Amino acid sequence: SARVAGVDAPRSIGKRTGRLLAIVIVIAIAGCDRAKAPEPQPQPQVAATSATSASAPACDAGSLAVPQAAPKRVVAIGDLHGDLAATRKVLRLAGVIDANDAWIGGDVVVVQTGDQIDRGDDDRKILDLFDRLRDAAEKSGGRVLSLLGNHEVMNASFDFRYVTPGAFTEFGDVNANVPRVEGLEPLQRGRAAAFAPGGPYASTLSKRPVVARVGDSIFVHGGVLPKHVRYGLDRINEEARVWLEGNRGAASGPPPRALAAEDAPLWTRMYSAAPGREECATLDETLRLLGAKRMVVGHTPQKPSIAPACDSKVWRIDVGLSRYYGGPVQALELRGDEVRVLTEEKPLP
């Protein structure tokens, strides 16, 4: 996949410690007719992960492969990286929370494309905020859908290279009988207990998808390639869920090897770095297989603004809005076929 100087990249799978192992949590379309997109049918507004077995067919209601009726308004938010102040700003920009962080978005669907953590001190506060908003939005007929990013999986793999001292301290009260924690520095143990497969925050992450469909748009942290579709997406989803939940003794080992790839949906920059004709052709094939119009991705900071590519078939929404990067506060709004960038107005000096 494309490389971007100065940003994180996965380590070699062969390293014993601190592996970066990309997790793919998506919905299978194995067995679907890939020659043409299925005819639109009335469906639930959002299709994300499925807890069904790996062999379950996926060409049914709610499948990622089936076009759905789009919500009236969808707001997509990119990487947050441990900055609660910026997180609040972008949620208020979207009009979905008030000054007290209470949900006021009604039936709006918010999709946050992962990397809520690392590089800032507020990881736990952000994770907890999105869980609270998820519950509140559902009561109002809306939806807050947080996706997994590569940094969430890095932490579940005990790769703490991008964790700040303050973000370690946030989890100091978490205790769990987790293998390997004893070998870590005391400051790291609470966070490790929280994010280790089977730990409280890993269990929360196990319920978050990597790829979700809202209407005719596909949302993912890095990108979906045709080979991810053909591999059997529900199969990968099940393996990832089991690993994060800590079943099959997974708390002492890495995720399944099939999920660890530099070009996995959490890691690929094919569409977000500098896509050319070849990359756009790959995107076209992926969207055709999924019967979708566009893909929305994070993972790679864009300057100076959210940017479309490939004839607006992909929207790159990571603008580095956290304090670490110093980018603008922006979000992407979708209303039917209308797509526009929401930007925080800067006060005059």
Side-chain angles (χ1 to χ4, degrees):
S1 63
R3 301 293 187 101
V4 177
V7 297
D8 45 273
R11 290 177 176 171
S12 168
I13 296 173
K15 302 236 179 176
R16 291 182 57 194
T17 59
R19 290 182 176 93
L20 292 187
L21 296 166
I23 302 302
V24 184
I25 301 183
V26 285
I27 292 185
I29 67 167
C32 299
D33 178 8
R34 299 189 179 106
K36 61 180 180 179
E39 292 299 322
Q41 299 293 330
Q43 300 295 338
Q45 291 183 337
V46 178
T49 55
S50 169
T52 57
S53 67
S55 59
C59 296
D60 55 2
S63 167
L64 192 63
V66 178
Q68 305 162 26
K72 290 186 296 185
R73 182 172 183 251
V74 180
V75 176
I77 297 170
D79 302 30
L80 301 172
H81 282 303
D83 189 336
L84 181 62
T87 298
R88 286 170 166 158
K89 286 181 180 179
V90 74
L91 289 168
R92 289 169 189 163
L93 172 68
V96 297
I97 66 169
D98 64 14
N100 297 314
D101 297 343
W103 177 259
I104 57 171
D107 59 0
V108 173
V109 174
V110 173
V111 184
Q112 197 283 319
T113 55
D115 279 8
Q116 294 182 1
I117 62 174
D118 281 352
R119 304 188 189 276
D121 292 342
D122 304 324
D123 294 355
R124 188 173 188 176
K125 296 181 181 70
I126 294 172
L127 291 169
D128 291 347
L129 172 62
F130 272 87
D131 275 358
R132 291 197 304 271
L133 292 177
R134 177 200 61 205
D135 295 341
E138 288 181 358
K139 293 177 182 178
S140 299
R143 183 82 184 272
V144 172
L145 182 60
S146 300
L147 307 187
L148 283 176
N150 60 300
H151 280 265
E152 281 80 16
V153 173
M154 288 163 63
N155 276 259
S157 302
F158 286 12
D159 185 337
F160 298 145
R161 285 179 291 162
Y162 302 97
V163 180
T164 66
F168 277 122
T169 303
E170 274 197 316
F171 294 90
D173 63 335
V174 179
N175 296 295
N177 182 20
V178 178
R180 298 184 292 154
V181 169
E182 292 77 9
L184 298 175
E185 297 177 9
L187 181 65
Q188 298 179 336
R189 292 176 185 173
R191 189 179 184 98
F195 283 96
Y201 280 85
S203 296
T204 295
L205 295 177
S206 73
K207 300 174 177 64
R208 296 185 174 189
V210 166
V211 177
R213 179 174 193 142
V214 182
D216 49 17
S217 299
I218 304 298
F219 296 83
V220 60
H221 183 65
V224 177
L225 310 180
K227 71 176 186 177
H228 303 144
V229 175
R230 295 190 175 102
Y231 179 82
L233 303 179
D234 198 52
R235 167 187 173 187
I236 300 172
N237 166 50
E238 180 68 3
E239 291 175 350
R241 182 189 64 79
V242 168
W243 176 67
L244 284 168
E245 288 183 350
N247 299 331
R248 299 186 304 185
S252 59
R257 186 175 179 85
L259 304 176
E262 189 174 351
D263 61 353
L266 296 179
W267 283 104
T268 182
R269 301 184 195 276
M270 178 173 285
Y271 312 133
S272 58
R277 180 178 299 177
E278 182 177 348
E279 290 81 8
C280 290
T282 301
L283 174 64
D284 284 342
E285 182 182 0
T286 304
L287 293 177
R288 179 184 64 81
L289 293 174
L290 294 172
K293 288 185 177 180
R294 69 185 64 84
M295 193 176 296
V296 180
V297 304
H299 189 40
T300 305
Q302 308 294 313
K303 293 183 178 180
S305 175
I306 287 174
C310 302
D311 296 327
S312 296
K313 293 178 182 177
V314 62
W315 285 82
R316 290 88 54 85
I317 66 168
D318 176 12
V319 290
L321 60 75
S322 67
R323 185 180 304 109
Y324 179 87
Y325 288 106
V329 175
Q330 292 186 333
L332 191 73
E333 181 186 68
L334 296 90
R335 292 179 182 265
D337 287 331
E338 180 185 353
V339 183
R340 71 183 184 116
V341 177
L342 305 177
T343 302
E344 181 185 52
E345 295 295 333
K346 300 291 184 182
L348 295 174

